[in-house]
Amino acid sequence: ETLRSLASPSSLQGPELHGWRPPVDCVRANELCAAESNCSSRYRTLRQCLAGRDRNTMLANRECQAALEVLQESPLYDCRCKRGMKKELQCLQIYWSIHLGLTEGEEFYEASPYEPVTSRLSDIFRLASIFSGTGADPAVSAKSNHCLDAAKACNLNDNCKKLRSSYISICNREISPTERCNRRKCHKALRQFFDRVPSEYTYRMLFCSCQDQACAERRRQTILPSCSYEDKEKPNCLDLRSLCRTDHLCRSRLADFHTNCRASYRTLTSCPADNYQACLGSYAGMIGFDMTPNYVDSSPTGIVVSPWCSCRGSGNMEEECEKFLRDFTENPCLRNAIQAFGNGTDVNVSPKSPLLPATQAPRVEKTPSLPDDLSDSTSLGTSVISTCTSVQEQGLKANNSKELSMCFTELTTNIIPGSNKVIRPNSGPCRARPSAALTALLLPLLKWAL
């Protein structure tokens, strides 16, 4: 019985799967909560607790504590939202009504309320009918203005042309001699453009590669910065962040940017999960809000982006302010992602260096093919771990009629929200995982017992 329980599949799944619920969007989670009397009453209590109170005051109240504990076991706790969904603002309001009560004051980095991005830049390249120089004569490509080409491509698409013309008209409309435009309406028109026009058009305009200053200036002017970006004075970056966090949409887009573009020194590209697409999408998602970023100059090679803010007047918060600003101005993930899109490359989509010859292991089963949206490289945030072992390698006597060998190929992905485990392949020879070795030991014993 002990052997059977140890060899059962449930014992090999790990403790992290127990109690885990697949996330639903927060609008649906709210409906599920409303249908259950205990959850519904606790949610109403929590919203009252959060109204006009800070977290410490809220937690000093026993009713508020009890409501928070109950809701952590409800679908509301794990819910997420989709960017551009029909009820996005309502979804985000529900999300923050729970998670603002869980945070310890003002956190530097907040978790994204949006569902993780699984698509990659290579998917956008396949969708784009024309790309900046890809496949063209290198001599012609080097002389062309890719940002101008991107604008022409947009004009060939009715939806792109309509929404681009709309924001250009609104953002260029002067209100009075002292007020050059209506920034609120300009931001709204920009949000509509970047949320409703496919990425193969918007990315080409935002992240086009440039060889000269004229091209780079056109790229900088994409969002009409004189209205949407620049102002008479630069506010303090921490003050701008605080202003952004008073709005659920702006707060969510900033949190999403930090989640997907925060520099990681554990990956090949410096991006989380080596996903350029997630970072670029999060960057574009901030355009049209108080935290709107843009290129700081017209340099064709030195890519530097920033919100319209500085760290003057930060006082004893200057170090935190500089850290916040560097996430834009000196972010290797964001810079690499912009360059990769401009060059038409993705992570290991077209590897330039030859692969090292693999040592052939005896009796290895065929590895399952990967989905179309994944590369066969471990650098994409997905680790393929091959473990091969045999009974002889374990020092056991093999069956004379049939030698028992076991090969495991496992595709491990981070499917559990909140999990920070990263499994990396060993650089040396394959090693048996504990579960594989245990199974190799138990199967012959079970056969002998039967």
Side-chain angles (χ1 to χ4, degrees), residues 108-124:
F108 191 88
Y109 293 116
E110 294 181 319
S112 173
Y114 293 108
E115 293 180 358
V117 175
T118 56
S119 59
R120 310 195 74 86
L121 281 188
S122 51
D123 301 321
I124 296 179

Side-chain angles (χ1 to χ4, degrees), residues 145 324 338 376:
N145 185 325
F324 175 81
I338 293 173
D376 59 353

Side-chain angles (χ1 to χ4, degrees), residues 139 191 205 215 228 259 393 411 427 436 443:
R191 291 198 301 270
M205 296 175 64
C215 174
S228 67
T259 297
E393 288 171 341
L411 181 66
S427 58
L443 284 177

Side-chain angles (χ1 to χ4, degrees), residues 109 257 261-265 269-270 294 296 302-307 311 321-336 338:
Y109 293 116
F257 172 78
C261 291
R262 184 179 175 185
S264 171
Y265 299 100
T269 61
S270 298
N294 197 30
V296 299
I303 296 176
V304 180
V305 298
S306 172
C311 287
C321 182
E322 292 289 352
K323 180 182 177 183
F324 175 81
L325 191 55
R326 282 197 301 271
D327 280 336
F328 293 90
T329 60
E330 300 176 22
N331 188 326
C333 167
L334 180 59
R335 183 177 61 250
N336 291 342
I338 293 173

Side-chain angles (χ1 to χ4, degrees), residues 77-94:
Y77 180 69
D78 292 321
C79 73
R80 293 292 183 270
C81 303
K82 291 182 180 179
R83 196 179 123 190
M85 64 185 291
K86 188 175 182 180
K87 298 181 179 179
E88 181 181 358
L89 180 57
Q90 180 186 352
C91 184
L92 294 172
Q93 288 171 339
I94 295 169

Side-chain angles (χ1 to χ4, degrees), residues 48-220:
Q48 292 171 357
C49 291
L50 286 173
R53 304 183 191 180
D54 61 27
R55 185 176 186 274
N56 292 331
T57 304
M58 186 197 79
L59 290 183
N61 185 302
R62 289 186 178 180
E63 284 189 32
C64 297
Q65 271 188 318
L68 193 58
E69 289 172 2
V70 169
L71 290 174
Q72 287 185 56
E73 300 300 321
S74 76
L76 284 169
Y77 180 69
D78 292 321
C79 73
R80 293 292 183 270
C81 303
K82 291 182 180 179
R83 196 179 123 190
M85 64 185 291
K86 188 175 182 180
K87 298 181 179 179
E88 181 181 358
L89 180 57
Q90 180 186 352
C91 184
L92 294 172
Q93 288 171 339
I94 295 169
Y95 174 89
W96 289 113
S97 68
I98 297 291
H99 289 268
L100 285 181
L102 299 173
T103 57
E104 295 282 353
E106 186 84 354
E107 292 189 338
F108 191 88
Y109 293 116
E110 294 181 319
S112 173
Y114 293 108
E115 293 180 358
V117 175
T118 56
S119 59
R120 310 195 74 86
L121 281 188
S122 51
D123 301 321
I124 296 179
F125 298 157
R126 286 195 293 268
L127 288 171
S129 56
I130 309 171
F131 191 68
S132 57
T134 301
D137 184 346
V140 175
S141 177
K143 294 180 181 180
S144 62
N145 185 325
H146 298 315
C147 297
L148 179 60
D149 294 340
K152 291 178 179 178
C154 177
N155 287 334
L156 294 175
N157 178 274
D158 291 340
N159 188 44
C160 186
K161 180 181 180 180
K162 176 185 174 182
L163 291 174
R164 179 170 176 259
S165 299
S166 176
Y167 85 73
I168 289 175
S169 173
I170 293 172
C171 297
N172 274 329
R173 191 177 301 155
E174 186 175 322
I175 304 299
S176 68
T178 57
E179 190 177 4
R180 55 191 169 194
C181 69
N182 187 322
R183 175 171 286 198
R184 183 181 61 82
K185 290 185 178 180
C186 176
H187 277 176
K188 183 179 179 181
L190 279 168
R191 291 198 301 270
Q192 289 177 340
F193 176 77
F194 286 103
D195 284 346
R196 298 179 184 179
V197 176
S199 301
E200 57 262 32
Y201 296 104
T202 59
Y203 282 20
R204 289 189 62 194
M205 296 175 64
L206 271 181
F207 311 123
C208 42
S209 62
C210 290
Q211 303 295 326
D212 56 54
Q213 191 171 349
C215 174
E217 177 60 17
R218 173 177 279 274
R219 180 175 62 188
R220 192 185 73 84

